[in-house]
Amino acid sequence: MKKIAVFTSGGDSPGMNACIRAVVRTGIKMGAEVVGIRCGYEGMIEADFVPLDSQAVSGIIQQGGTILQTARCARFRTPEGRRMAYDQLMKAGIEGVVAIGGDGTFTGAHVFSQEYDFPFVGTPGTIDNDLFGTDYTIGYDTAINTAMAAIDNIRDTANAHNRLFIVEVMGRDAGFIALRSGIASGAEAVLIPESTSDTQHLLEILSRNEAMRKRANIIVVAEGDEEGGAFQLAKTIRERFPIFETKVTILGHVQRGGRPTCSERVLASRLGMEAVKALLDGRRNVMIGQVHKDITYIPFEQAIKHHQRVNPGLLEMVEMLC
Ligand code: ATP
């Protein structure tokens, strides 16, 4: 394989740049030419390709976001769009691609690989940590640290005013960010989509805290919690416990940006390097993950079909410590 490409797709996550850098530098060291595809699958369809040498990825390891930018591309969901993408890759002489993204990105790569004989290898780039076959995804560690720092700040003002804060963190289908940031910031309760009994538990906690006259409370809720997110929860609490002065904070996209943590940079670099080695070794249509410090090769089909399960040990911690 003489020419390979790398792109970022779906939601951006801190550490994507470290991964791009690793792909480029490993590719070059192993004798391949590397090009970047800008704006995800959209750039593939539009032939928005940029040559990347070692210098082009210098000074980006510490930056959040992605120098290649990212996009959600409706056209790639259609056979015509994928045909255009394939033609552009062939025209540019690209023989293999490293995709950095989440399950949508790998679904696209999987569909593409069923239609065309073309090698894709993926690295898990999403703050959600919901992909099966890797302990951590690129972006997750930074996102939980950002959320934790924000909740620490909210704790100061909650204590100062004796207020109850509901802090909504990202996670439409997965509660990983809520769980870890909630445990680490000493939240009084954590509500996640994977658990349906946590609202009842929360109401019990608030009853207990009300009896103790503990009015400053932090409740962390994942945006996809089945109760309907922070505002719905605030309504329930105001109705049941008018004594609490209840406030809502939505952390939102602040969790997506920022300088990647040290672990993030190392993980992203390792997965990027291993992705290129795998591609040049002839592996295809697999996501490169890391489980217990070992590199894993998970077929896209499996990575997208299964979701990472919440660690029961973390749920127990919430139960015991909150
Ligand atoms: P995140 O987890 O951060 O949202 P993601 O990779 O899951 O990242 P998506 O927007 O779901 O983000 O997917 C990225 C892109 O992958 C889509 O914009 C689309 O171009 C492509 N894609 C997703 N699903 C399919 C599909 N079923 N068929 C073809 N392409 C798809």
Side-chain angles (χ1 to χ4, degrees), residues 46-306:
E46 293 298 327
D48 194 353
F49 303 143
V50 312
L52 294 174
D53 59 14
S54 198
Q55 194 62 28
V57 292
S58 151
I60 65 167
I61 195 167
Q62 69 275 31
Q63 292 172 19
T66 156
I67 58 160
L68 291 175
Q69 298 193 283
T70 182
R72 306 208 192 255
C73 172
R75 280 194 291 171
F76 198 77
R77 293 175 185 271
T78 67
E80 300 73 39
R82 292 192 292 274
R83 155 62 60 187
M84 285 167 76
Y86 179 73
D87 290 346
Q88 301 289 21
L89 291 170
M90 290 297 104
K91 222 156 81 187
I94 294 167
E95 296 168 273
V97 169
V98 177
I100 308 171
D103 59 353
T105 300
F106 299 154
T107 305
H110 176 61
V111 172
F112 189 82
S113 72
Q114 290 181 319
E115 294 169 341
Y116 302 101
D117 181 22
F118 187 89
F120 264 87
V121 163
T123 61
T126 168
I127 63 168
D128 291 334
N129 206 42
D130 54 349
L131 282 164
F132 174 80
T134 189
D135 287 343
Y136 299 109
T137 56
I138 299 167
Y140 174 64
D141 188 61
T142 309
I144 53 179
N145 277 288
T146 302
M148 180 190 72
I151 298 167
D152 285 348
N153 289 358
I154 292 168
R155 171 74 72 183
D156 291 342
T157 180
N159 286 343
H161 285 274
N162 256 340
R163 283 175 175 156
L164 181 155
F165 273 86
I166 301 169
V167 184
E168 185 180 292
V169 299
M170 281 189 165
R172 276 195 302 269
D173 307 307
F176 294 101
I177 297 177
L179 256 184
R180 285 213 177 232
S181 64
I183 290 170
S185 57
E188 272 65 34
V190 179
L191 280 75
I192 58 171
E194 293 88 342
S195 159
T196 50
S197 60
D198 38 27
T199 307
Q200 190 48 41
H201 186 50
L202 165 69
L203 297 177
E204 287 161 19
I205 291 170
L206 293 183
S207 276
R208 187 193 67 199
N209 289 356
E210 185 191 16
M212 295 190 309
R213 304 177 65 79
K214 179 177 175 353
R215 302 272 159 76
N217 291 276
I218 302 277
I219 297 158
V220 176
V221 58
E223 63 182 327
D225 183 66
E226 71 287 349
E227 279 299 308
F231 286 107
Q232 184 54 43
L233 195 59
K235 191 164 168 276
T236 308
I237 293 174
R238 285 185 186 120
E239 280 165 12
R240 286 284 300 272
F241 300 99
I243 190 86
F244 288 114
E245 195 184 339
T246 301
K247 300 281 178 194
V248 169
T249 300
I250 311 280
L251 289 191
H253 286 80
V254 72
Q255 296 159 92
R256 280 267 180 84
R259 295 163 76 84
T261 62
C262 177
S263 330
E264 200 83 85
R265 298 179 200 188
V266 175
L267 174 75
S269 299
R270 184 176 188 207
L271 296 182
M273 178 183 83
E274 293 294 342
V276 173
K277 283 165 57 187
L279 196 59
L280 298 185
D281 254 12
R283 288 190 194 256
R284 48 170 61 204
N285 307 321
V286 289
M287 180 193 87
I288 312 296
Q290 182 180 293
V291 174
H292 305 318
K293 304 211 165 22
D294 292 328
I295 290 298
T296 53
Y297 305 91
I298 311 295
F300 284 144
E301 207 174 353
Q302 279 185 33
I304 57 187
K305 197 154 108 203
H306 308 291

Side-chain angles (χ1 to χ4, degrees), residues 34-55:
V34 187
V35 299
I37 303 171
R38 291 164 47 81
C39 300
Y41 287 119
E42 195 61 37
M44 206 178 275
I45 292 171
E46 293 298 327
D48 194 353
F49 303 143
V50 312
L52 294 174
D53 59 14
S54 198
Q55 194 62 28

